């Protein structure tokens, strides 16, 4: 199996860029002067969606 000549440099660049830090931005200023009575930081629902496409070459997902 022949490996494409650009695969190794692109893989190395991707791995090295994952460790790089981006530009440092100042912290966001959050305005907390208005507080809602309905505010709740807890997530109440987690919705997972799974889609399966069957192709003629496959018998199932």
């Amino acid at each position: 199996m022949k490996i494409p000549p650009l695969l190794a440099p692109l893989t190395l660049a991707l791995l090295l860029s994952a460790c790089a830090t981006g530009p440092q931005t100042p912290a966001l200023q959050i305005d907390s002067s208005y507080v809602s009575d309905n505010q709740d930081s807890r997530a109440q629902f987690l919705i997972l969606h799974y889609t399966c496409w069957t192709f003629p070459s496959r018998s199932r997902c």
Side-chain angles (χ1 to χ4, degrees):
M1 179 178 183
K2 186 177 178 183
I3 299 174
L6 289 178
L7 183 62
L10 289 176
T11 304
L12 182 61
L14 179 66
L15 290 173
L16 290 176
S17 67
C19 297
T21 58
Q24 300 297 324
T25 56
L28 295 175
Q29 300 295 325
I30 298 175
D31 181 11
S32 60
S33 59
Y34 298 104
V35 180
S36 172
D37 294 334
N38 299 320
Q39 183 209 1
D40 187 8
S41 61
R42 289 188 177 195
Q44 296 178 357
F45 301 101
L46 175 64
I47 299 172
L48 297 175
H49 178 76
Y50 176 74
T51 302
C52 178
W53 292 354
T54 55
F55 295 103
S57 61
R58 288 185 162 186
S59 59
R60 56 164 130 140
C61 296

